[in-house]
Each structure stands twice: as structure tokens, then as C-alpha cells.
Amino acid sequence: MPGRLPSGSGTLTAAFDARHNGPRGTRAVSGQHLVDGLPLWVDWHIHPVSQAGWAADSAVIFDRRGFDRLPATFSALLSTGESEPPTLKQPIDHQIARLVMVPIAGKRIARRSPETARMIEFLGGPYAPDASWQHHLATLRRLLDGFAALGLPDSVAAGHAYLDLVAETLD
């Protein structure tokens, strides 16, 4: 609802050790929270003090330690050098990860990202780079419905609610 703050921090529905998304010597945790029926994806990147600094494209809200501003963007910092190896995950973990990343693909549709088709393919859909945004949304809705068997109905419903917002924005 426009003009109103969320009712709270939400409920954590899924969390993953995502250390493979960062440079060696760092850690990362990714997770989905549900806030007022909508999904919120949070990535926590944890760096030792020796590697700490604010990325060039970051917005600092508060800084108790006085870290320096770095010349590299956040994306460049994460992709520099060798990454941490991924942790072993069970097949169910991969399915849950795909479920909770559907809204990220929806965000790519809203931003008209050229990477939308690749993301949909990663989530289990067909690679269709020339498809319309309506087709991409329909594919994501089918994928969401296919994840219902995972037993996370609130995440499925939140994904649909988010895709509804994307559709309203693009109509």
C-alpha cells in the first residue's frame, strides 16, 4: 500500500549459505523474508576488517567504524579474484532456492533486463530471449505453481503477489 511502512521485519522463509557469491576469505548468506505478503530478498556479505570498505556505488546509512570508500563498485568487488567454493546442498535446497528467486526474475522483467531469459532458464523455464514480458511473466507463474509441492505456500503466494505488481507496473 503506497505511503505506508511495512508492518515489521517479516518472516524468514528460506536462507542459504551463499559464500560462493563472494571473494575468498569472505562469507555470504542469502535469504527470503516475507513482509506483508511480499517477498524481500536479503544478501548479507561478511568481510573481515582487513577487507572492509564501502563500495563506490554504496549508500552509507551509518558507519560506526569509519571505513574508507573503495574505488571499486560492489559488483566489481564480488567478482574480483577467486571465489569461495560452494557448500554442498541437497536437491530440495536447490528447488527452494529457485522458488524464492522467482521474484528476482520478476524484477528483471520490470527493469527490462537483457538477462531475464537466462534467469528464467536457470529457474527451470525455457530460454526465450525474444519473448514478450507477458510471456516471461506467464512462465514465472507456471514455475511458481510447480513449486507448490515444496510445502512453502506463503512463498508461492508472495511470488504471485510480486508478479502481480510487476504486471501492474508494465501495463
Side-chain angles (χ1 to χ4, degrees):
M1 176 154 264
R4 116 177 142 74
L5 294 173
S7 63
S9 60
T11 303
L12 180 66
T13 59
F16 304 94
D17 182 324
R19 66 183 70 192
H20 58 280
N21 288 334
R24 185 156 303 277
T26 67
R27 293 291 181 264
V29 177
S30 296
Q32 183 193 60
H33 295 258
L34 299 184
V35 182
D36 295 338
L38 289 171
L40 171 66
W41 186 261
V42 177
D43 291 318
W44 289 93
H45 292 270
I46 302 105
H47 294 248
V49 172
S50 63
Q51 294 181 26
W54 297 108
D57 56 350
S58 64
V60 180
I61 306 301
F62 66 91
D63 180 356
R64 295 183 185 147
R65 303 282 302 259
F67 291 119
D68 292 332
R69 174 77 60 178
L70 303 172
T73 64
F74 184 68
S75 179
L77 289 171
L78 292 182
S79 62
T80 301
E82 190 177 346
S83 295
E84 283 288 330
T87 58
L88 279 174
K89 295 185 177 55
Q90 298 299 315
I92 188 76
D93 297 324
H94 290 286
Q95 287 298 95
I96 292 170
R98 287 183 181 103
L99 160 61
V100 299
M101 286 192 281
V102 167
I104 297 171
K107 177 177 69 174
R108 289 187 178 187
I109 293 170
R111 292 180 176 174
R112 303 194 189 279
S113 168
E115 294 301 312
T116 300
R118 288 257 179 253
M119 179 84 182
I120 291 172
E121 180 184 36
F122 172 76
L123 297 175
Y127 179 67
D130 297 325
S132 67
W133 65 265
Q134 294 95 337
H135 181 268
H136 285 315
L137 277 178
T139 299
L140 291 178
R141 290 181 193 287
R142 282 191 300 277
L143 288 171
L144 277 173
D145 292 339
F147 291 128
L150 294 174
L152 297 168
D154 292 343
S155 287
V156 172
H160 278 294
Y162 186 81
L163 296 180
D164 290 345
L165 289 176
V166 171
E168 287 175 26
T169 301
L170 295 175
D171 273 340

